[in-house]
Amino acid sequence: MNDLTHGLEQVLAQIADAAHAAGRDRDQVELTVASKTQPAERIRPLLLAGQRIFGENRVQEAQAKWPQLKAEFPGVELHMIGPLQSNKAEHAIQLFDVIETVDRISLVKALAKGVKKLGKRPKFYAEINIGREPQKAGVAPEEADSFIATCRNTHGLEIEGLMCIPPEGQPAAPFFAHLAQIAKRNEIKILSMGMSADYEVAIAEGATHVRVGTAVFGHRL
Ligand SMILES: *Cc1c(COP(=O)(O)O)cnc(C)c1O
Protein backbone atom coordinates (compact mmCIF):
# COMPACT_ATOMS: atom_id res chain seq x y z
CA MET A 1 0.00 0.00 0.00
CA ASN A 2 1.51 3.37 -0.96
CA ASP A 3 1.23 6.62 1.01
CA LEU A 4 -1.78 7.82 -0.91
CA THR A 5 -3.96 4.80 -0.35
CA HIS A 6 -2.71 4.76 3.23
CA GLY A 7 -3.96 8.36 3.69
CA LEU A 8 -7.29 7.40 2.14
CA GLU A 9 -7.72 4.36 4.38
CA GLN A 10 -6.91 6.43 7.46
CA VAL A 11 -9.43 9.12 6.62
CA LEU A 12 -12.11 6.51 5.86
CA ALA A 13 -11.42 4.82 9.20
CA GLN A 14 -11.69 8.14 11.03
CA ILE A 15 -14.94 8.94 9.28
CA ALA A 16 -16.31 5.59 10.45
CA ASP A 17 -15.15 6.29 14.02
CA ALA A 18 -16.63 9.79 14.03
CA ALA A 19 -19.95 8.53 12.66
CA HIS A 20 -20.04 5.80 15.27
CA ALA A 21 -19.19 8.28 18.08
CA ALA A 22 -22.03 10.52 16.90
CA GLY A 23 -24.48 7.61 16.87
CA ARG A 24 -24.80 7.87 13.10
CA ASP A 25 -24.75 5.24 10.40
CA ARG A 26 -21.39 5.05 8.58
CA ASP A 27 -23.30 5.10 5.28
CA GLN A 28 -24.70 8.56 6.03
CA VAL A 29 -21.31 10.22 5.50
CA GLU A 30 -19.58 10.38 2.11
CA LEU A 31 -15.97 11.35 1.54
CA THR A 32 -15.29 13.90 -1.20
CA VAL A 33 -11.56 13.87 -1.87
CA ALA A 34 -10.42 17.44 -2.65
CA SER A 35 -7.94 16.85 -5.48
CA LYS A 36 -7.05 20.41 -6.50
CA THR A 37 -3.41 20.80 -7.62
CA GLN A 38 -2.95 17.01 -7.58
CA PRO A 39 -1.88 15.51 -10.91
CA ALA A 40 -3.74 12.55 -12.39
CA GLU A 41 -0.95 10.15 -11.36
CA ARG A 42 -1.70 10.92 -7.72
CA ILE A 43 -5.45 10.61 -8.17
CA ARG A 44 -5.41 7.31 -10.07
CA PRO A 45 -4.26 5.18 -7.08
CA LEU A 46 -7.25 6.44 -5.11
CA LEU A 47 -9.59 5.52 -7.96
CA LEU A 48 -7.98 2.09 -8.10
CA ALA A 49 -8.60 1.77 -4.36
CA GLY A 50 -12.30 2.40 -4.99
CA GLN A 51 -12.72 6.10 -4.14
CA ARG A 52 -15.23 7.69 -6.52
CA ILE A 53 -16.21 11.15 -5.21
CA PHE A 54 -13.77 13.99 -5.89
CA GLY A 55 -13.88 17.77 -5.62
CA GLU A 56 -12.07 20.27 -7.81
CA ASN A 57 -11.78 24.04 -7.42
CA ARG A 58 -11.14 25.23 -10.95
CA VAL A 59 -13.01 24.45 -14.14
CA GLN A 60 -9.90 24.59 -16.34
CA GLU A 61 -7.83 22.33 -14.13
CA ALA A 62 -10.69 19.83 -13.91
CA GLN A 63 -11.14 19.88 -17.69
CA ALA A 64 -7.49 18.96 -18.08
CA LYS A 65 -7.59 16.05 -15.64
CA TRP A 66 -11.02 14.50 -15.41
CA PRO A 67 -12.43 13.57 -18.83
CA GLN A 68 -9.69 10.94 -19.14
CA LEU A 69 -10.07 9.69 -15.56
CA LYS A 70 -13.86 9.55 -15.91
CA ALA A 71 -13.45 7.46 -19.06
CA GLU A 72 -11.11 5.07 -17.24
CA PHE A 73 -13.15 4.71 -14.04
CA PRO A 74 -16.92 4.33 -14.28
CA GLY A 75 -19.04 5.85 -11.53
CA VAL A 76 -16.92 8.89 -10.75
CA GLU A 77 -18.88 11.72 -9.15
CA LEU A 78 -17.10 15.04 -9.65
CA HIS A 79 -17.97 18.02 -7.46
CA MET A 80 -17.18 21.66 -8.17
CA ILE A 81 -16.12 23.12 -4.80
CA GLY A 82 -14.37 26.33 -5.88
CA PRO A 83 -15.71 29.72 -6.93
CA LEU A 84 -17.53 29.57 -10.28
CA GLN A 85 -17.65 32.43 -12.77
CA SER A 86 -20.92 32.78 -14.66
CA ASN A 87 -19.11 32.63 -18.01
CA LYS A 88 -17.84 29.14 -17.09
CA ALA A 89 -21.31 27.86 -16.11
CA GLU A 90 -21.78 25.75 -19.27
CA HIS A 91 -18.36 24.13 -19.00
CA ALA A 92 -19.07 23.34 -15.37
CA ILE A 93 -22.44 21.75 -16.19
CA GLN A 94 -20.80 19.59 -18.83
CA LEU A 95 -18.05 18.29 -16.57
CA PHE A 96 -19.37 18.24 -13.00
CA ASP A 97 -22.00 16.01 -11.42
CA VAL A 98 -22.48 18.35 -8.48
CA ILE A 99 -21.90 22.12 -8.28
CA GLU A 100 -21.51 23.03 -4.61
CA THR A 101 -20.77 26.74 -4.93
CA VAL A 102 -24.02 28.32 -6.11
CA ASP A 103 -23.80 31.66 -4.31
CA ARG A 104 -25.47 34.45 -6.27
CA ILE A 105 -28.45 35.02 -8.53
CA SER A 106 -26.38 36.01 -11.59
CA LEU A 107 -24.75 32.58 -11.42
CA VAL A 108 -28.12 30.88 -10.85
CA LYS A 109 -29.41 32.50 -14.04
CA ALA A 110 -26.37 31.33 -16.02
CA LEU A 111 -26.72 27.79 -14.65
CA ALA A 112 -30.46 27.64 -15.37
CA LYS A 113 -29.80 28.76 -18.93
CA GLY A 114 -27.00 26.21 -19.33
CA VAL A 115 -29.16 23.36 -18.01
CA LYS A 116 -31.83 24.18 -20.59
CA LYS A 117 -29.38 24.49 -23.45
CA LEU A 118 -27.30 21.40 -22.67
CA GLY A 119 -30.08 19.13 -21.41
CA LYS A 120 -27.82 18.06 -18.51
CA ARG A 121 -28.67 18.79 -14.91
CA PRO A 122 -26.01 18.34 -12.22
CA LYS A 123 -27.02 18.58 -8.58
CA PHE A 124 -26.73 22.05 -7.08
CA TYR A 125 -25.76 23.05 -3.55
CA ALA A 126 -25.80 26.59 -2.19
CA GLU A 127 -22.63 27.89 -0.56
CA ILE A 128 -23.38 29.73 2.66
CA ASN A 129 -20.93 32.26 4.11
CA ILE A 130 -21.64 30.88 7.55
CA GLY A 131 -19.16 33.13 9.38
CA ARG A 132 -20.28 36.27 7.49
CA GLU A 133 -16.66 36.85 6.44
CA PRO A 134 -16.28 39.72 3.96
CA GLN A 135 -13.47 37.99 2.04
CA LYS A 136 -15.39 34.74 1.59
CA ALA A 137 -17.89 33.75 -1.08
CA GLY A 138 -21.33 32.51 -0.19
CA VAL A 139 -24.84 33.63 0.59
CA ALA A 140 -25.24 35.38 3.95
CA PRO A 141 -26.95 33.04 6.43
CA GLU A 142 -29.86 35.43 6.95
CA GLU A 143 -30.47 35.47 3.19
CA ALA A 144 -30.23 31.71 2.72
CA ASP A 145 -33.97 30.94 2.94
CA SER A 146 -34.97 33.51 0.35
CA PHE A 147 -32.04 32.58 -1.92
CA ILE A 148 -33.03 28.90 -1.88
CA ALA A 149 -36.68 29.79 -2.54
CA THR A 150 -35.77 32.10 -5.44
CA CYS A 151 -33.58 29.40 -7.01
CA ARG A 152 -36.47 26.96 -6.86
CA ASN A 153 -39.43 29.15 -7.65
CA THR A 154 -38.07 31.76 -10.04
CA HIS A 155 -35.26 29.91 -11.80
CA GLY A 156 -36.33 26.25 -11.62
CA LEU A 157 -33.04 25.33 -9.98
CA GLU A 158 -33.50 22.94 -7.09
CA ILE A 159 -30.95 23.39 -4.29
CA GLU A 160 -30.29 19.90 -2.92
CA GLY A 161 -27.48 20.64 -0.51
CA LEU A 162 -25.68 23.32 1.48
CA MET A 163 -21.93 23.84 1.67
CA CYS A 164 -19.82 26.03 3.95
CA ILE A 165 -16.27 26.80 5.03
CA PRO A 166 -16.26 28.07 8.62
CA PRO A 167 -13.90 30.84 9.80
CA GLU A 168 -10.37 29.80 10.72
CA GLY A 169 -9.17 30.04 14.29
CA GLN A 170 -12.57 29.59 15.92
CA PRO A 171 -14.35 26.45 17.05
CA ALA A 172 -16.18 25.12 13.99
CA ALA A 173 -19.02 23.26 15.72
CA PRO A 174 -21.42 26.22 16.16
CA PHE A 175 -20.99 27.17 12.48
CA PHE A 176 -21.69 23.62 11.35
CA ALA A 177 -24.71 23.47 13.65
CA HIS A 178 -26.01 26.70 12.14
CA LEU A 179 -25.67 25.30 8.60
CA ALA A 180 -27.55 22.19 9.70
CA GLN A 181 -30.39 24.38 11.04
CA ILE A 182 -30.69 26.27 7.76
CA ALA A 183 -30.79 22.97 5.88
CA LYS A 184 -33.44 21.51 8.14
CA ARG A 185 -35.89 24.37 7.88
CA ASN A 186 -35.50 24.34 4.08
CA GLU A 187 -35.95 20.55 3.90
CA ILE A 188 -32.45 20.09 2.47
CA LYS A 189 -30.82 16.76 3.26
CA ILE A 190 -27.25 17.19 2.04
CA LEU A 191 -24.67 19.02 4.16
CA SER A 192 -21.19 19.43 2.68
CA MET A 193 -19.04 20.60 5.57
CA GLY A 194 -15.77 19.68 7.24
CA MET A 195 -12.22 19.64 5.82
CA SER A 196 -8.98 18.01 7.00
CA ALA A 197 -8.84 20.07 10.20
CA ASP A 198 -12.43 19.61 11.30
CA TYR A 199 -14.25 16.81 9.47
CA GLU A 200 -14.83 14.81 12.63
CA VAL A 201 -16.52 17.83 14.24
CA ALA A 202 -18.61 18.27 11.08
CA ILE A 203 -19.74 14.63 11.23
CA ALA A 204 -20.87 15.16 14.82
CA GLU A 205 -22.95 18.11 13.59
CA GLY A 206 -24.61 16.16 10.77
CA ALA A 207 -22.32 16.43 7.72
CA THR A 208 -23.37 14.09 4.92
CA HIS A 209 -20.28 14.95 2.82
CA VAL A 210 -16.84 15.91 4.13
CA ARG A 211 -14.33 17.46 1.72
CA VAL A 212 -10.84 16.31 2.59
CA GLY A 213 -7.59 17.03 0.72
CA THR A 214 -4.50 17.38 2.90
CA ALA A 215 -5.32 14.49 5.22
CA VAL A 216 -5.46 12.18 2.19
CA PHE A 217 -2.66 13.52 0.01
CA GLY A 218 -0.34 15.19 2.50
CA HIS A 219 0.44 18.86 1.99
CA ARG A 220 -0.30 20.37 -1.40
CA LEU A 221 2.73 21.10 -3.57
C1 LIG B 1 -9.05 22.53 -0.62
C2 LIG B 1 -10.46 22.47 -0.16
C3 LIG B 1 -10.88 21.49 0.75
C4 LIG B 1 -9.95 20.49 1.40
O1 LIG B 1 -9.10 21.16 2.27
P1 LIG B 1 -8.03 20.36 3.17
O2 LIG B 1 -7.79 21.26 4.30
O3 LIG B 1 -6.85 20.16 2.29
O4 LIG B 1 -8.67 19.09 3.57
C5 LIG B 1 -12.22 21.47 1.08
N1 LIG B 1 -13.10 22.36 0.58
C6 LIG B 1 -12.73 23.31 -0.28
C7 LIG B 1 -13.74 24.24 -0.80
C8 LIG B 1 -11.39 23.41 -0.67
O5 LIG B 1 -11.03 24.37 -1.50
Side-chain angles (χ1 to χ4, degrees), residues 34 36 57 81-82 101 163 165 194-197 211-215 220:
K36 59 170 173 267
N57 289 60
I81 61 174
T101 48
M163 175 281 210
I165 306 171
M195 315 193 343
S196 291
R211 308 178 309 270
V212 180
T214 312
R220 276 181 288 279

Side-chain angles (χ1 to χ4, degrees), residues 100-167:
E100 299 202 12
T101 48
V102 180
D103 65 351
R104 58 195 191 281
I105 293 298
S106 56
L107 176 60
V108 171
K109 284 183 186 162
L111 289 168
K113 196 172 148 206
V115 163
K116 226 182 217 164
K117 180 173 156 190
L118 301 168
K120 178 174 182 263
R121 181 182 287 273
K123 288 187 177 170
F124 297 106
Y125 304 173
E127 179 174 2
I128 308 298
N129 186 355
I130 202 70
R132 298 184 180 85
E133 295 173 278
Q135 79 282 13
K136 264 196 194 144
V139 178
E142 61 275 15
E143 284 160 19
D145 296 0
S146 73
F147 181 79
I148 293 159
T150 304
C151 288
R152 273 178 190 154
N153 302 332
T154 308
H155 303 285
L157 209 80
E158 193 66 32
I159 296 295
E160 295 185 54
L162 299 182
M163 175 281 210
C164 78
I165 306 171

Side-chain angles (χ1 to χ4, degrees), residues 24 28-32 79 81 98 100 123-128 130 144 148 159-166 173-195 198-199 201-212:
R24 300 181 61 199
Q28 292 172 341
V29 187
E30 303 264 23
L31 170 62
T32 305
H79 291 222
I81 61 174
V98 180
E100 299 202 12
K123 288 187 177 170
F124 297 106
Y125 304 173
E127 179 174 2
I128 308 298
I130 202 70
I148 293 159
I159 296 295
E160 295 185 54
L162 299 182
M163 175 281 210
C164 78
I165 306 171
F175 295 104
F176 292 148
H178 189 188
L179 194 74
Q181 267 174 19
I182 297 170
K184 190 164 186 218
R185 67 173 182 252
N186 286 284
E187 292 175 22
I188 287 173
K189 301 240 154 38
I190 297 173
L191 279 174
S192 171
M193 57 189 197
M195 315 193 343
D198 52 20
Y199 65 94
V201 178
I203 290 168
E205 298 298 338
T208 62
H209 290 66
V210 294
R211 308 178 309 270
V212 180

